[in-house]
Amino acid sequence: MYSNEFKNIIENARIAKGNSQRELAKLTGISRSTLNDLINGKIKKPDIDILKRIAEELDLSLDLML
């Protein structure tokens, strides 16, 4: 996925739920640095389990994140 599009999806959903990146990381069990790297496109092939946890927490479709 185009990283800016991915970033916008995650950030908009996160803000809509009222969570900081730190809170989202804690809720999903992902380190804040990993979450930040993922959002900013530094991780080119993210683990599907990580994407699934983020999607579930943000009430997003996993398909949307893929």
Side-chain angles (χ1 to χ4, degrees), residues 32-45:
R32 193 169 72 86
S33 62
T34 298
L35 179 61
N36 189 49
D37 287 348
L38 179 65
I39 290 171
N40 289 308
K42 293 181 181 177
I43 298 175
K44 300 300 180 195
K45 293 187 178 187

Side-chain angles (χ1 to χ4, degrees), residues 1-2 8 12 14 22 42 50:
M1 173 181 284
Y2 179 67
N8 288 338
N12 289 337
R14 177 185 64 75
R22 182 175 300 226
K42 293 181 181 177
I50 290 174

Side-chain angles (χ1 to χ4, degrees), residues 7-60:
K7 181 177 183 173
N8 288 338
I9 290 168
I10 299 296
E11 291 294 282
N12 289 337
R14 177 185 64 75
I15 291 167
K17 286 203 76 168
N19 293 333
S20 67
Q21 276 191 12
R22 182 175 300 226
E23 290 168 327
L24 179 58
K26 186 175 181 179
L27 290 167
T28 57
I30 301 165
S31 74
R32 193 169 72 86
S33 62
T34 298
L35 179 61
N36 189 49
D37 287 348
L38 179 65
I39 290 171
N40 289 308
K42 293 181 181 177
I43 298 175
K44 300 300 180 195
K45 293 187 178 187
D47 184 272
I48 191 75
D49 182 56
I50 290 174
L51 293 179
K52 183 178 178 183
R53 287 188 274 166
I54 294 170
E56 287 174 354
E57 185 59 42
L58 296 177
D59 300 322
L60 297 172

